[in-house]
Amino acid sequence: MTLSGVLYALSDPLRLSIVKSLATQGEQPCGAFGLSVAKSTASHHFRVLRETGVIRMKPEGTQHINSLRREDLDSRFPGLLDAILQASEPV
Amino acid sequence: MTLSGVLYALSDPLRLSIVKSLATQGEQPCGAFGLSVAKSTASHHFRVLRETGVIRMKPEGTQHINSLRREDLDSRFPGLLDAILQASEPV
DNA sequence: CTCATAGTTCGATTATAATCGAACAATAGG
DNA sequence: CCTATTGTTCGATTATAATCGAACTATGAG
């Protein structure tokens, strides 16, 4: 889990929107985000988030539940996630 | 100045190193960072940092002095820069 | 067993980004 | 005026990343 990796993962608007949704709505399956891209594209973005350590995924029935790795992020990069979530909130 | 833009700019290790240097050493001309890439490549990275609003540049004699736009960043994205600089410090 | 649902993987395409060298521009110094 | 220094711009190349459709996998429902 690297800083550059996390920043890169979050620099994509679609991935950032996923993370924001997880932060405010809590864990959700991939289908719940209403992403307007092909399934394979969505899967790619979830993979990036997973591989950079931003989210975790657990299979549950036929779906995969995503959740934010908040504790890990907060301990490794204190304040970073909060700053990002807060910065993107003013919408 | 967008969040995604700033995150993108800082997700590149070379650009992050420039920003770290500016944060700790204060303003410096392009040549002072000891970047091991071609001049044109360095110029490209400075441009990205400039265009995303992370740094400003002022010509001074034959050189261009770079400085961090800390106030702007802090007011637009409170805590973000600090979190990033702190996270990358543990070196 | 069959079928629908939820995602993944694969391969291909397209779009972005990083990188370089060469030529250029601006300035300061002699 | 000539030259060195500092950085920019341009064009080309290469590397990464985003995107899609099609085929696949796993699970649960009937």
Side-chain angles (χ1 to χ4, degrees), chain B residues 30-31 39-40 43 57 62-63:
Chain B
C30 300
K39 279 195 308 177
S40 51
S43 191
M57 229 171 182
T62 88
Q63 50 193 19

Side-chain angles (χ1 to χ4, degrees), chain A residues 29-31 39-40 43 57 62-63:
Chain A
C30 300
K39 280 196 307 175
S40 51
S43 191
M57 228 171 184
T62 89
Q63 50 191 17

Side-chain angles (χ1 to χ4, degrees), chain A residues 37-71:
Chain A
V37 291
K39 280 196 307 175
S40 51
T41 301
S43 191
H44 161 72
H45 287 298
F46 283 108
R47 176 169 14 193
V48 171
L49 289 170
R50 212 175 336 113
E51 292 182 345
T52 53
V54 176
I55 67 172
R56 76 175 71 78
M57 228 171 184
K58 68 171 178 233
E60 189 155 303
T62 89
Q63 50 191 17
H64 293 184
I65 308 294
N66 301 282
S67 57
L68 203 48
R69 291 179 54 184
R70 201 184 254 285
E71 323 69 31

Side-chain angles (χ1 to χ4, degrees), chain B residues 28-49:
Chain B
Q28 302 165 67
C30 300
F33 298 89
L35 304 177
S36 51
V37 291
K39 279 195 308 177
S40 51
T41 301
S43 191
H44 161 72
H45 287 299
F46 283 108
R47 178 177 1 202
V48 170
L49 289 171

Side-chain angles (χ1 to χ4, degrees), chain B residues 40-85:
Chain B
S40 51
T41 301
S43 191
H44 161 72
H45 287 299
F46 283 108
R47 178 177 1 202
V48 170
L49 289 171
R50 212 177 335 114
E51 292 182 345
T52 54
V54 177
I55 68 173
R56 78 175 69 78
M57 229 171 182
K58 67 168 178 237
E60 190 154 303
T62 88
Q63 50 193 19
H64 294 185
I65 308 294
N66 301 283
S67 57
L68 204 48
R69 291 180 54 184
R70 200 184 256 286
E71 325 68 32
D72 298 332
L73 287 166
D74 285 348
S75 73
R76 185 105 172 65
F77 308 119
L80 181 61
L81 185 60
D82 286 341
I84 290 174
L85 292 173

